[in-house]
């Protein structure tokens, strides 16, 4: 009998918690990303960044915004569920989703429902393809291949180039293909291309091949976890080329059990550096660490901060309020984003008609455990 | 002709199973028509149908045939990819605009492909005694995932292009499967009605198989292989029947699932997904088809209804799972339920038969 009572109590609790507290007049923005599971780092960074932006905007007074943060566990099916849940809660636009494959699933649905989406970090070019309601804050994967190739040729960072990429990851293969095509155009010599798959832990072969081929620059279009192991493998055989990473390299210094001295001299592309002494960046880092319990923000946090900021600016310009229907807001936002300019933490942004962002890339080199702009 | 008690109980069980599914469909459909359904629930209808088919078909292998299969998501992915390619081929090359015709053909093709793969695996493995099927299906799930990672399929000038390992397709080809990007630019055509029909077909096939001569032979092999063999039952043949049927159904579910979304990526069909389906089967009761239907529905909806718990959602989910396990096996509660339904039932029966 006691057990039955407990069950009834639990059921009642569940029902009472589900009750929604309606709040009028504030603009409702859904933030969707993986807050649990293997990709939680990225989702949480976005959540914190968006939170900082919302707090700042609400502190200014005027039109308020309310964030609806929903977890998608980096799973396309769950992400669509998260989206429909947020819409049921009255979301008017989406600042998300964080990761690419869920974003593809959600954006197809949002395109049909006419809901505006601005993703901070889903970088595949497929995300915005054929969808007028979908915009990006981050660079697209192909750009992450083209920019480094141009930079290497222009600044003469290396003459013989080796590439190690993750063949089971579309982010990595996408950048590799774009880099290879651009390298041919600008006349870079690629001497070695090796691959690995998700979860590999031994990179001796790949590094050996790069060294034997005499490469003086190794391009790593991969995430920081395998990159850290590649740096270790190179150190073990006393191979010291220039390592060039892209935005996936951002975060390597915060990696647990990683000897940060191995990353000295690594060049990476990232739109945001927490080491900047710029006032807005210092201010953001301070507020972010207060929300995130001490974790230093990476580009995901900054991208999400900019996403909420850009959405807010567009809403103010278009006269969108908390009472505007999602479908109407979508058309108004499309008009705004195709013409407006927004300056945020990750630079001054404009968007082309496909929804891809146009902003200046920034390259940093790691020196004494901090990012230093490459040009200095 | 007078019906035996066992036969009558079986009939009641089957009628109840079908009636529940059909009533659920009409209730939901009228909610959709009246627009009273939440977006959240509406979005989950097709996945629920897919997971029901997955759970019921896996139950055929695990519960009825008594073999452990850990690669059910692998068959689902074969079906999903085949469905995506066939649907794209029909639209781009044969210009079939009718979405339901494309969906039907894609589902059948997905089922056939998964069935062929299932047969290829089953022929060597099901001849062996022991837990080889578990190991092989486990490996199969991973192999499929790695194969589609390096598979490139596209259509152009009225032809189908395909390459393996490296992307060697001519310029201007519309990509259908693009390596690690998965199956891309799918036109979502799955509907709830199609899902409902697939569930009905699955139930009809599985319940008929269980209650047929072949079904009795399959259960005999499960309960005592040696005794069954000595009675002249061809063990491999009947185990194959169950396994391949399950693979076909999983492939069909996969095609429906894949054509619901705009993209399918290989990482959607991991080992975890296979285990997830196994959880549906175990929680619903091994060999209990109706149980699989209910648990697949319940466990798909549950995480969504728990969203209000925010960060503690999956913790609550686990607690609910444990509670359900305890309560369904609690003798006091069981006898209470039995007393409730006693007036409608003459004698307790174990429909479909329990596993050892």
């Amino acid at each position: 009998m006691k057990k039955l009572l407990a069950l009834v109590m639990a059921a009642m609790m569940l029902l009472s918690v589900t009750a929604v507290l309606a709040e009028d007049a504030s603009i409702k923005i859904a933030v969707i990303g993986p807050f649990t599971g293997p990709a939680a780092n990225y989702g949480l960074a976005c959540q914190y960044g968006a939170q900082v932006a919302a707090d700042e905007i609400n502190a200014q007074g005027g039109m308020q915004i309310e964030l609806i943060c929903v977890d998608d566990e980096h799973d396309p099916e769950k992400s669509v569920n998260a989206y429909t849940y947020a819409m049921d809660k009255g979301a008017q636009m989406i600042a998300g989703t964080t990761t690419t494959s869920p974003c593809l699933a959600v954006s197809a649905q949002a395109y049909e429902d006419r809901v505006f989406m601005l993703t901070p970090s889903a970088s595949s070019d497929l995300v915005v393809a054929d969808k007028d309601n979908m915009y990006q804050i981050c660079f697209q994967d192909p750009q992450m291949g083209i920019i480094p190739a141009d930079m290497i040729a222009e600044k003469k960072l290396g003459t013989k180039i080796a590439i190690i990429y993750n063949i089971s990851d579309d982010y990595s293969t996408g950048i590799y293909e774009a880099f290879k095509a651009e390298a041919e155009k600008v006349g870079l010599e690629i001497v070695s291309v090796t691959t690995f798959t998700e979860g590999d832990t031994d990179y001796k072969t790949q590094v050996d091949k790069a060294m034997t081929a005499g490469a003086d620059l190794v391009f790593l279009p991969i995430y920081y976890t395998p990159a850290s192991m590649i740096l270790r493998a190179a150190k073990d055989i006393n191979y010291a080329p220039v390592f060039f990473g892209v935005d996936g390299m951002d975060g390597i210094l915060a990696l647990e059990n990683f000897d940060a001295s191995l990353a000295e001299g690594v060049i990476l592309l990232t739109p945001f550096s927490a080491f900047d002494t710029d006032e807005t960046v210092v201010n953001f880092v301070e507020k972010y660490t207060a929300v995130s319990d001490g974790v230093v923000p990476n580009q995901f946090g900054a991208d999400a901060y900019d996403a909420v900021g850009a959405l807010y600016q567009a809403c103010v310009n278009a006269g969108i309020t908390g009472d505007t229907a999602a479908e109407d807001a979508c058309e108004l936002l499309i008009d705004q984003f195709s013409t407006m300019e927004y300056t945020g933490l990750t630079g001054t942004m404009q968007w082309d008609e496909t929804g891809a962002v146009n902003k200046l890339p920034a390259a940093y080199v790691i020196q004494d455990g901090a990012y230093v702009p490459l040009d200095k | 002709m007078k019906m035996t008690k066992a036969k009558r109980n079986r009939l009641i069980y089957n009628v109840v199973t079908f009636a529940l599914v059909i009533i659920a469909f009409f209730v939901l459909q009228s909610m959709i028509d009246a627009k009273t359904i939440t977006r959240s629930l509406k979005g989950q209808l097709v996945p629920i149908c897919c997971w029901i088919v997955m759970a019921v078909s896996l139950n055929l292998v695990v519960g009825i045939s008594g073999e452990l299969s850990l690669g059910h998501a692998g068959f689902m992915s074969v079906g999903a990819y085949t469905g995506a390619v066939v649907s794209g081929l029909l639209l781009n090359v044969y210009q079939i605009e009718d979405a339901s015709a494309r969906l039907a053909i894609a589902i059948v093709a997905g089922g056939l492909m998964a069935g062929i793969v299932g047969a290829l695996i089953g022929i060597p493995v099901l001849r062996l005694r022991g837990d080889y099927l578990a190991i092989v299906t486990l490996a199969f799930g991973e192999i499929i995932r790695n194969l589609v990672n390096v598979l490139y399929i596209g259509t152009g000038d009225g032809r189908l292009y395909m390459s393996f390992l490296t992307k060697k397709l001519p310029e201007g080809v519309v990509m259908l499967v693009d390596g690690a990007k998965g199956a891309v630019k799918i036109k979502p055509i799955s509907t709830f009605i199609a899902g409902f029909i697939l569930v009905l077909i699955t139930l009809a096939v599985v319940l008929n198989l269980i209650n047929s001569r072949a079904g009795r032979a399959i259960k005999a092999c499960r309960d005592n292989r040696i005794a069954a063999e000595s009675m002249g039952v061809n063990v491999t043949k009947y185990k194959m029947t169950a396994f391949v049927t399950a693979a076909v159904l999983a492939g069909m579910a996969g095609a429906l699932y894949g054509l619901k979304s705009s993209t399918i990526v290989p990482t959607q069909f991991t080992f975890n997904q296979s285990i997830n389906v196994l959880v549906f089967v175990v929680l619903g009761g091994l060999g209990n088809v109706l149980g699989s239907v209910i648990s697949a529905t319940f466990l798909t909806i549950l995480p969504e209804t728990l969203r209000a718990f925010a960060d503690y959602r999956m913790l609550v989910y686990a607690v609910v799972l444990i509670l359900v396990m305890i309560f369904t096996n609690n003798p006091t509660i069981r006898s209470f339920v039995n007393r409730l339904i006693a007036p409608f039932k003459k004698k307790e029966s174990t429909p479909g038969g329990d596993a050892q």
Side-chain angles (χ1 to χ4, degrees):
Chain A
M1 204 54 215
K2 251 187 188 165
K3 273 185 189 166
L4 202 69
L5 198 72
L7 192 72
V8 172
M9 295 276 282
M12 277 171 66
M13 248 169 65
L14 209 149
L15 285 176
S16 60
V17 178
T18 342
V20 198
L21 291 168
E23 216 177 285
D24 285 329
S26 53
I27 298 169
K28 292 192 184 64
I29 301 176
V31 176
I32 304 172
F35 307 146
T36 58
N41 266 339
Y42 307 122
L44 287 171
C46 283
Q47 190 187 9
Y48 299 147
Q51 194 59 53
V52 172
D55 290 347
E56 271 181 11
I57 289 163
N58 289 345
Q60 281 169 9
M63 195 156 50
Q64 302 287 296
I65 52 178
E66 184 194 336
L67 296 182
I68 303 171
C69 299
V70 208
D71 180 19
D72 71 5
E73 300 169 44
H74 184 46
D75 177 291
E77 183 190 327
K78 299 222 171 75
S79 201
V80 174
N81 290 343
Y83 157 79
T84 52
Y85 175 84
M87 294 311 290
D88 282 339
K89 289 268 178 217
Q92 292 164 291
M93 61 206 74
I94 317 282
T97 70
T98 303
T99 43
T100 295
S101 52
C103 195
L104 287 168
V106 173
S107 59
Q109 188 69 41
Y111 176 70
E112 236 165 70
D113 298 346
R114 303 308 298 162
V115 177
F116 188 81
M117 278 180 80
L118 176 65
T119 173
S121 49
S123 56
S124 166
D125 49 335
L126 282 173
V127 167
V128 292
D130 308 326
K131 286 167 220 137
D132 60 347
N133 63 329
M134 182 80 224
Y135 284 77
Q136 282 168 320
I137 288 284
C138 58
F139 285 111
Q140 290 187 347
D141 294 347
Q143 286 171 292
M144 277 289 138
I146 294 166
I147 296 165
D150 291 347
M151 209 174 264
I152 292 165
E154 195 184 306
K155 296 189 197 289
K156 303 207 169 38
L157 296 168
T159 48
K160 291 183 168 179
I161 293 157
I163 305 168
I164 304 174
Y165 74 99
N166 180 349
I167 198 169
S168 67
D169 180 31
D170 66 336
Y171 164 76
S172 194
T173 45
I175 299 175
Y176 160 70
E177 277 160 21
F179 181 85
K180 199 179 85 172
E182 185 69 14
E184 272 167 26
K185 255 189 238 164
V186 295
L188 291 176
E189 188 192 356
I190 297 175
V191 290
S192 150
V193 177
T194 44
T195 64
F196 63 95
T197 57
E198 202 69 58
D200 282 4
T201 50
D202 183 14
Y203 297 89
K204 197 173 172 302
T205 331
Q206 289 92 332
V207 175
D208 262 347
K209 272 194 184 152
M211 186 160 106
T212 326
D216 54 5
L217 186 144
V218 179
F219 182 56
L220 302 173
I222 53 178
Y223 288 113
Y224 57 78
T225 315
S228 70
M229 290 184 259
I230 288 172
L231 292 175
R232 159 64 60 197
K235 174 86 178 170
D236 285 348
I237 55 170
N238 286 322
Y239 174 45
V242 176
F243 286 102
F244 199 118
V246 286
D247 53 355
M249 189 70 89
D250 188 22
I252 190 162
L253 293 177
L255 191 63
E256 265 177 59
N257 300 325
F258 175 67
D259 178 5
S261 70
L262 288 175
E264 284 297 303
V266 170
I267 302 170
L268 73 162
L269 284 183
T270 170
F272 168 77
S273 158
F275 300 102
D276 265 359
T277 47
D278 192 69
E279 196 190 329
T280 49
V281 174
V282 173
N283 180 26
F284 171 71
V285 172
E286 190 184 315
K287 283 179 181 161
Y288 183 97
T289 41
V291 180
S292 71
D293 207 12
V295 181
V296 177
N298 55 15
Q299 50 165 327
F300 283 86
D303 282 336
Y305 176 89
D306 281 356
V308 172
L311 280 174
Y312 185 73
Q313 182 186 316
C315 284
V316 172
N317 289 349
I320 294 168
T321 65
D323 303 323
T324 314
E327 292 82 2
D328 302 333
C330 179
E331 303 310 323
L332 290 169
L333 286 171
I334 291 170
D335 286 345
Q336 283 296 322
F337 269 83
S338 48
T339 53
M340 78 175 205
E341 188 180 282
Y342 177 75
T343 305
L345 285 174
T346 63
T348 299
M349 293 164 251
Q350 280 178 321
W351 287 268
D352 65 16
E353 67 281 0
T354 62
V357 75
N358 199 348
K359 59 181 174 185
L360 287 174
Y364 292 87
V365 59
I366 297 176
Q367 269 174 20
D368 304 325
Y371 294 171
V372 180
L374 184 62
D375 302 325
K376 281 183 189 163
Chain B
M1 204 177 82
K2 207 168 169 266
M3 252 184 197
T4 61
K5 238 178 208 164
K7 235 184 188 172
R8 215 184 61 119
N9 279 333
R10 220 160 45 211
L11 186 71
I12 292 173
Y13 179 82
N14 291 355
V15 169
V16 168
T17 308
F18 276 106
L20 265 181
V21 171
I22 292 169
I23 290 169
F25 170 76
F26 280 108
V27 169
L28 288 167
Q29 191 62 43
S30 61
M31 275 167 81
I32 294 172
D33 294 339
K35 294 201 165 52
T36 50
I37 196 165
T38 60
R39 275 200 209 221
S40 177
L41 183 59
K42 195 178 169 195
Q44 289 173 68
L45 291 177
V46 175
I48 288 172
C49 291
C50 297
W51 295 122
I52 288 177
V53 175
M54 288 296 288
V56 171
S57 60
L58 185 64
N59 206 343
L60 186 62
V61 180
V62 180
I64 307 299
S65 157
E67 292 278 350
L68 187 57
S69 166
L70 296 176
H72 216 49
F75 295 116
M76 194 183 188
S77 93
V78 170
Y81 274 89
T82 312
V85 170
V86 168
S87 162
L89 184 70
L90 290 175
L91 184 67
N92 298 347
V93 177
Y94 297 102
Q95 266 103 36
I96 297 178
E97 298 288 338
D98 185 4
S100 36
R102 265 190 294 141
L103 182 63
I105 298 172
I107 289 178
V108 171
L112 278 180
M113 199 60 164
I116 292 169
V117 176
L120 284 178
I121 293 174
I123 290 169
V125 177
L126 290 172
R127 288 167 188 277
L128 305 170
R129 284 155 205 250
D131 288 333
Y132 291 103
L133 190 70
I135 302 162
V136 172
T137 47
L138 175 70
F140 158 74
E142 295 301 301
I143 290 168
I144 281 293
R145 203 155 58 78
N146 284 304
L147 284 182
V148 289
N149 251 337
V150 288
L151 182 66
Y152 301 89
I153 299 176
T155 56
D157 343 308
R159 289 171 62 188
L160 189 70
Y161 291 96
M162 191 169 148
S163 82
F164 199 63
L165 288 177
T166 50
K167 194 170 170 179
K168 275 182 288 195
L169 305 186
E171 287 289 312
V173 163
V174 181
M175 295 306 291
L176 294 175
V177 177
D178 197 354
K181 282 184 185 161
V184 293
K185 294 187 180 170
I186 304 167
K187 301 263 177 299
I189 47 175
S190 289
T191 57
F192 178 42
I193 295 173
F196 166 69
I197 295 170
L198 189 60
V199 170
L200 282 190
I201 293 173
T202 306
L203 287 177
V205 168
V206 172
L207 288 174
N208 264 315
L209 180 63
I210 292 174
N211 297 327
S212 68
R213 185 166 169 273
R216 285 190 295 277
I218 292 168
K219 278 181 273 179
C221 301
R222 171 195 72 191
D223 291 338
N224 194 327
R225 185 179 175 128
I226 297 169
E229 268 177 331
S230 68
M231 297 300 288
V233 172
N234 184 342
V235 175
T236 308
K237 178 183 151 193
Y238 286 111
K239 283 200 184 287
M240 277 289 285
T241 313
F243 187 67
V244 174
T245 309
V248 170
L249 292 172
M252 292 169 106
L256 182 74
Y257 187 80
L259 290 172
K260 182 200 174 271
S261 178
S262 65
T263 333
I264 334 169
V265 284
T267 46
Q268 267 172 290
F269 307 99
T270 54
F271 175 63
N272 285 350
Q273 206 63 276
S274 302
I275 294 298
N276 221 1
V277 183
L278 197 60
V279 170
F280 296 162
V281 173
V282 172
L283 198 78
L286 289 174
N288 189 341
V289 173
L290 180 57
S292 290
V293 174
I294 293 170
S295 72
T297 313
F298 177 66
L299 290 184
T300 310
I301 295 178
L302 187 63
E304 295 309 313
T305 49
L306 292 178
R307 279 207 185 272
F309 287 95
D311 288 352
Y312 301 101
R313 188 159 66 99
M314 292 326 274
L315 185 71
V316 177
Y317 179 79
V319 171
V320 172
L321 268 191
I322 295 167
L323 285 181
V324 171
M325 294 257 186
I326 292 172
F327 278 99
T328 47
N329 281 311
N330 187 313
T332 326
I333 292 172
R334 278 204 151 178
S335 66
F336 176 71
V337 173
N338 282 342
R339 248 182 298 145
L340 272 186
I341 57 172
F344 312 102
K345 220 170 181 183
K346 282 201 173 152
K347 203 188 158 205
E348 241 319 83
S349 71
T350 49
D354 290 319
Q356 309 102 307

